[in-house]
Structures are given as structure tokens and as C-alpha cells.
């Protein structure tokens, strides 16, 4: 798949927090970054095919980015920024959630089940791939995936989670708890899908160390698309945060 095709799919998803069924294959990664899809599941009713990005020839233990897509999304739509993280030495895991991905009829009510899905993926991959350092994990999510990410930070949350990033997300229904970790909130001030005030409510509800980044003129995640306004600043800030926190 050509890179221009990746960007078209990503733009379609970000514009409406949805995706296209045509985006059903993992995007080819740039030279030096390998992409594969691993068949995982949390029980027969919850398949979790997981896209993995990592540097070719990677040895030893490496920190993990666990990424959650939004409603009607797919991991492949985030290949450009995921490969940036892979180039920096992270192993990136991105499950396609069973009831909110682009290939199914989206069920918003299932978002509450996704934090447990994400933790399952982390430890299933830890058992399969000895290069994963599951004690150094950053959880990252976009839109409903940002809500999923924050939902992973409840009492008794996984001890390997060292940092979290929510992009254009809302406050989760569950309460925050467990060991404090740094959290980065990224939100466009012209977001028509998840208004800025919704993101601020999530930010204000978190009693831990946190950072707020407003993307001036940013809509619903368009700043995650290479070549669009805000992308260099946002991608740079996210990568800096990941390196410092994990």
C-alpha cells in the first residue's frame, strides 16, 4: 500500500472518528520497521488481532507503546506515527477491538470492556515475544481509544504502566486509582467530535502529575496526519514525553 493511501484512510477516520472497511490490511512500514499482525483473543467472543511495529533486527528488552484506536478505526490507520515510535526503539502493540473497529457495527457501550482487552494483549504478547519489557509500558489512545487508555488507570492498574497519553479523549466511567503515573492530554481547540471542554473535564478529574497540550486550530485528530498543521509539534511532544516517562 502506498503511503498516500495510508494518509487518505487516516484522514477519513480522523474526520469522523470512524474508518473505512477498505482499511483492512496493515500498512507497509518504512524501511527498517517491521509490521506484523498477531491473532490474539480474550475468549472466543473477543478476538483481538494486534498489529505490531518494531525495528528490524531488534534484540534485548525494549519498552512498549500500547495503542488504542477510536470508534470505527483500525491500527493500520495510525501506521505513520506508530512507525515513528518504533524507530525510537519502542515495540508498538495496537489491537483492533472486537466491537468498535472499522469492520464491525460499532457498539459504543463496549468501550468499557476495552481496558481489560488492552491489558490482555500486553501480557499475551509478553509471553510470545521476549523482547517486550512489560515493566516499561506507555498506554496511548485516540478519541474513544483515549477513553480506553484512561480507563486502564483505575485502582490496581497494571504495574508495568509507566505513562499514559490520551489524544482527543473523554473521561472514563471508572475512577482513577493505583500508583500515580504521568499523563499527557492532547486536544484540538476546534474539535467538533469530542469538544475541548470534554477533554478538559477528563484532565481536571485526574489528581496525578499531568500535562495539557492544546493544538491551536486542531480538529478531531487531524494533527496526527503527517503533512497536516500541528503534526510536527504534536508528534514531537508525544515522542519526547514517551522517552522521558518510559
Amino acid at each position: 500500500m502506498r503511503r498516500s493511501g495510508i494518509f487518505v484512510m487516516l484522514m477519513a477516520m480522523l474526520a469522523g472518528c470512524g474508518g473505512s472497511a477498505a482499511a483492512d490490511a496493515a500498512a507497509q512500514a518504512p524501511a527498517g520497521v517491521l509490521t506484523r499482525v498477531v491473532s490474539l483473543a480474550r475468549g472466543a467472543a473477543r478476538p483481538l488481532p494486534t498489529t505490531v511495529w518494531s525495528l528490524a533486527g531488534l534484540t534485548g528488552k525494549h519498552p512498549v507503546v500500547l495503542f488504542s484506536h477510536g470508534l470505527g478505526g483500525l491500527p493500520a490507520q495510525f501506521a505513520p506515527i506508530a512507525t515513528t515510535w518504533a524507530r525510537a526503539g519502542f515495540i508498538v502493540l495496537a489491537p483492533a477491538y472486537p466491537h468498535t473497529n472499522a469492520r464491525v457495527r460499532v457498539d459504543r457501550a463496549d468501550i468499557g470492556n476495552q481496558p481489560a482487552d488492552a491489558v490482555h494483549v500486553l501480557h499475551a504478547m509478553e509471553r510470545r515475544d521476549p523482547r517486550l519489557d512489560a515493566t516499561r509500558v506507555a498506554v496511548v489512545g485516540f478519541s474513544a481509544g483515549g477513553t480506553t487508555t484512561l480507563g486502564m488507570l483505575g485502582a490496581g492498574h497494571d504495574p508495568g504502566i509507566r505513562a499514559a497519553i490520551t489524544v482527543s479523549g473523554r473521561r472514563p466511567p471508572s475512577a482513577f486509582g493505583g500508583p500515580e503515573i504521568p499523563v499527557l492530554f492532547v486536544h484540538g481547540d476546534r474539535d467538533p467530535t469530542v469538544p475541548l471542554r470534554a477533554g478538559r473535564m477528563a484532565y481536571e478529574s485526574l489528581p496525578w502529575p499531568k500535562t495539557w497540550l492544546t493544538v491551536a486550530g486542531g480538529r478531531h485528530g487531524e494533527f496526527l496526519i503527517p503533512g497536516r498543521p500541528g503534526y510536527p509539534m504534536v508528534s514531537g511532544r508525544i515522542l519526547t514525553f514517551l522517552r522521558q516517562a518510559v
Side-chain angles (χ1 to χ4, degrees):
M1 184 181 297
R2 291 164 50 189
R3 289 188 67 187
S4 60
I6 298 170
F7 298 160
V8 169
M9 289 189 299
L10 182 57
M11 189 175 300
M13 186 279 296
L14 296 179
C17 196
S20 168
D24 60 353
Q28 290 181 0
V33 177
L34 300 179
T35 308
R36 60 192 171 111
V37 178
V38 180
S39 295
L40 301 175
R42 187 163 69 97
R46 300 196 70 81
L48 294 163
T50 298
T51 303
V52 182
W53 288 273
S54 62
L55 279 174
L58 201 63
T59 59
K61 289 282 191 179
H62 294 269
V64 178
V65 172
L66 180 54
F67 180 80
S68 296
H69 63 76
L71 295 178
L74 285 171
Q77 295 163 331
F78 296 88
I81 197 164
T83 55
T84 297
W85 303 332
R87 284 196 194 101
F90 293 88
I91 297 176
V92 184
L93 311 178
Y97 292 109
H99 299 292
T100 62
N101 74 75
R103 302 185 191 124
V104 300
R105 189 171 187 173
V106 170
D107 179 6
R108 293 173 179 268
D110 199 58
I111 295 171
N113 294 316
Q114 293 181 172
D117 289 338
V119 173
H120 176 85
V121 164
L122 172 63
H123 293 295
M125 285 302 304
E126 179 188 17
R127 292 189 292 271
R128 288 173 177 242
D129 190 338
R131 301 173 305 164
L132 270 68
D133 185 349
T135 69
R136 292 190 295 155
V137 179
V139 289
V140 184
F142 167 67
S143 194
T147 304
T148 296
T149 293
L150 293 177
M152 297 175 70
L153 307 182
H157 66 71
D158 192 279
I161 298 176
R162 298 284 189 89
I165 302 172
T166 174
V167 180
S168 307
R170 297 178 183 270
R171 179 178 178 176
S174 55
F176 297 111
E180 295 184 354
I181 63 166
V183 181
L184 172 63
F185 292 75
V186 181
H187 217 108
D189 62 5
R190 295 181 59 194
D191 192 328
T193 305
V194 181
L196 184 69
R197 64 179 179 276
R200 289 294 303 185
M201 287 176 63
Y203 173 82
E204 291 165 3
S205 70
L206 180 71
W208 302 349
K210 55 194 176 184
T211 302
W212 176 268
L213 175 61
T214 298
V215 183
R219 296 177 67 82
H220 196 55
E222 291 174 351
F223 43 82
L224 295 178
I225 304 171
R228 297 301 296 272
Y231 178 79
M233 182 271 289
V234 171
S235 62
R237 285 288 298 274
I238 287 175
L239 185 56
T240 297
F241 181 84
L242 290 172
R243 284 171 164 161
Q244 291 177 342
V246 182

